Amino acid sequence: MAQRIGVSAEGHGKMCLAVPMELTDVRTGGRGTARADGIVRDVDISLIDDPRTGEFVIVHAGFAIERLDRAEAEARIALFEDMARRVSTPEFAS
Amino acid sequence: MKYVDAFRDPAASRAVVSELASLAGKLRESGIRPAIMEVCGTHTMAIARNGIRDVLPPEVSLISGPGCPVCVTEPGYIDAAILAATRATVFTFGDMLNVPGSEDSLATARAAGADVHPCYSPSAALDFARANPARETVFLAIGFETTIAPVAALAAAAENGLPNFSMLTALKLVPPALAALVSDPAVHIDAFLCPAHVSAIIGSDAYAPFAGPGGRPCVIAGFEPLDILYGIRCILAQLADGQAFVENEYARVVKPEGNVKAQNLISRYMEPYDAAWRGIGVIPASGLRLRKQYGAMDAESRFGIRVEPGTPPTGCRCGDVLKGILNPPGCPLFDGRCTPENPVGPCMVSSEGACAAWHSYRRIAPAGKDA
């Protein structure tokens, strides 16, 4: 589980991994709390303009580097779901 | 994981693979055998881990690029970091520990007693400096734009009130490296699969100089397998239509202008310089360093350390691997003298290095396939 958020079993950083996490708390001083898959982390949110609780951000090395646009994400998921449905039709299988 | 698992769906992957085959058929008729460079080391690792080469049409080749920060860091930087560790407590990303310097690595220095701490976040160095005001603390700041933004935030946090904190920087920029690659006659690249999170900082507009008439398709893709497959599909579609434009297929994170707040912070603290890339050489304006007025945070000036080029290992072909001229198995040291357990070159050290990726995953590839 820990490896999925960019920390190896030894606790050493794999430097370029970054994952989407949900902001659960926004504090002063550019700090906040984010969670993903039950993992909760203190993150630096000073690189994000006007961060809000409930937003998803991409967290890299403990810093939120950009917010995730949920509408864009959902649209892309819908595209892939549509492609998956087509691949499962008998016409495609043949 | 939310917004991760949906981009790993096997059925959708099969659909994209089917489209890839169809597009490759069109390219075949035109005699095009596309060579696509995945610029970023995280893409390199994801491609290897997910067996993406195995599902690509045979005429499509993926070439690993220079986007692994550990891999392009000069041995002389490691030498300087080891020297810094004799005068300060040093914090580093874990990937750096086993990178060979001219003679030693940070891991061997640490085993000999140097005060070197691997960390997940650079904030750990800041926290240590705050808690230990009498102890000099140095963060080894290496990386591309994805890491440069946090490093700039670190500088902002340390600027006032942390006189015992400094950074030894080797920060590099992706666009100047792409410019160097496309101007090198030895390098043959038909399209770029552009990085995900570097692009989150610099924006999709940053690739405009490499696209357009006479340019190459530049497609930004996320790091999940479906993102990568779909990005390659978009590249093939552009090539089949004779097009070359910037296409952002990671719009859920990347904006045309990038993260402007991060860019402004970076500009405030850092300035470009001609940086040396391990195995490649000096690329004009391809690095960032702290501006002169922030010299107190610069470990080089603080400790009188100079980062020299250092001595690269004999026989290592990491430079050619990083330029996409050579695949890792073409290096005479690969999987012989050079393994992840006993790395000779940096591309075998980092989990995102092309050699480490080929070493780790080629053995589970189907017979007859390289990786």
Side-chain angles (χ1 to χ4, degrees):
Chain A
M1 177 75 77
Q3 286 183 324
R4 297 181 69 180
I5 59 166
V7 182
S8 70
E10 298 82 24
H12 302 169
K14 297 295 184 189
M15 60 176 302
C16 285
L17 297 181
V19 292
M21 301 183 83
E22 183 181 4
L23 282 176
T24 57
D25 185 33
V26 172
R27 299 188 294 279
T28 54
R31 304 299 301 180
T33 307
R35 73 173 171 209
D37 259 11
I39 305 270
V40 176
R41 269 197 176 276
D42 193 45
V43 294
D44 186 304
I45 51 176
S46 64
L47 297 169
I48 306 293
D49 252 335
D50 192 22
R52 308 236 172 133
T53 300
E55 284 190 308
F56 277 73
V57 290
I58 301 296
V59 177
H60 164 72
F63 288 75
I65 57 163
E66 184 54 284
R67 52 169 45 89
L68 182 141
D69 184 324
R70 296 178 77 161
E72 285 283 358
E74 296 297 343
R76 183 46 58 105
I77 290 168
L79 168 78
F80 287 142
E81 285 175 348
D82 184 54
M83 293 181 82
R85 270 193 296 276
R86 279 189 280 131
V87 82
S88 61
T89 62
E91 182 188 358
F92 186 93
S94 66
Chain B
M1 186 183 286
K2 182 91 170 167
Y3 299 126
V4 171
D5 296 340
F7 300 98
R8 297 175 177 174
D9 181 68
S13 299
R14 282 197 297 278
V16 182
V17 168
S18 169
E19 291 193 5
L20 286 173
S22 167
L23 287 163
K26 283 188 192 171
L27 291 168
R28 197 178 306 123
E29 288 167 15
S30 309
I32 300 171
R33 298 175 65 83
I36 300 168
M37 173 171 277
E38 91 270 1
V39 175
C40 178
T42 308
H43 271 145
T44 296
M45 197 47 159
I47 286 164
R49 187 176 57 235
N50 292 293
I52 284 177
R53 280 192 178 81
D54 297 329
V55 299
L56 292 183
E59 48 277 274
V60 177
S61 59
L62 292 178
I63 303 163
S64 300
C68 160
V70 169
C71 303
V72 296
T73 299
E74 288 273 34
Y77 177 87
I78 303 297
D79 301 341
I82 291 169
L83 195 56
T86 63
R87 303 172 191 182
T89 296
V90 166
F91 283 78
T92 177
F93 290 118
D95 304 44
M96 288 289 285
L97 282 175
N98 290 313
V99 179
S102 296
E103 291 179 8
D104 289 324
S105 67
L106 284 161
T108 54
R110 187 182 183 214
D115 198 10
V116 179
H117 297 252
C119 61
Y120 159 67
S121 172
S123 297
L126 217 55
D127 293 342
F128 181 88
R130 280 197 191 101
N132 299 274
R135 183 69 182 151
E136 288 286 344
T137 306
V138 175
F139 176 63
L140 302 185
I142 78 152
F144 291 99
E145 289 89 338
T146 326
T147 304
I148 293 172
V151 166
L154 211 60
E159 183 184 350
N160 297 311
L162 266 185
N164 59 325
F165 176 81
S166 59
M167 296 189 276
L168 188 64
T169 60
L171 302 166
K172 293 188 169 62
L173 303 170
V174 165
L178 299 188
L181 286 172
V182 297
S183 65
D184 186 337
V187 178
H188 173 69
I189 303 163
D190 295 304
F192 287 116
L193 186 70
C194 298
H197 295 140
V198 162
S199 304
I201 303 297
I202 67 176
S204 55
D205 289 347
Y207 302 101
F210 310 107
R216 295 160 175 79
C218 294
V219 176
I220 299 162
F223 290 132
E224 297 305 326
L226 257 174
D227 287 317
I228 294 170
L229 284 169
Y230 199 77
I232 296 168
R233 173 222 171 267
C234 293
I235 285 172
L236 297 191
Q238 284 199 39
L239 291 171
D241 289 342
Q243 303 274 340
F245 55 91
V246 178
E247 193 170 349
N248 181 8
E249 294 298 336
Y250 193 43
R252 64 185 185 271
V253 173
V254 175
K255 294 180 291 202
E257 71 278 15
N259 184 334
V260 175
K261 187 176 186 186
Q263 292 166 15
N264 289 339
L265 201 62
I266 291 167
S267 299
R268 180 174 159 198
Y269 288 98
M270 294 173 201
E271 61 184 10
Y273 75 106
D274 299 344
W277 295 56
R278 189 169 189 150
I280 296 176
V282 174
I283 301 176
S286 66
L288 287 181
R289 63 187 173 198
L290 286 162
R291 292 186 183 277
K292 288 269 187 298
Q293 62 263 43
Y294 303 112
M297 281 191 279
D298 182 348
E300 280 190 73
S301 53
R302 191 180 185 88
F303 298 109
I305 296 169
R306 274 181 64 88
V307 176
E308 307 284 357
T311 310
T314 307
C316 171
R317 299 281 304 275
C318 275
D320 288 340
V321 170
L322 291 164
K323 287 194 286 188
I325 293 173
L326 189 75
N327 274 330
C331 175
L333 307 187
F334 180 78
D335 263 2
R337 265 181 62 202
C338 186
T339 62
E341 293 74 30
N342 292 294
V344 176
C347 297
M348 189 60 95
V349 178
S350 171
S351 59
E352 302 194 334
C355 298
W358 281 67
H359 172 93
S360 299
Y361 294 103
R362 72 201 299 253
R363 291 198 177 89
I364 59 173
K369 290 269 191 176
D370 276 334

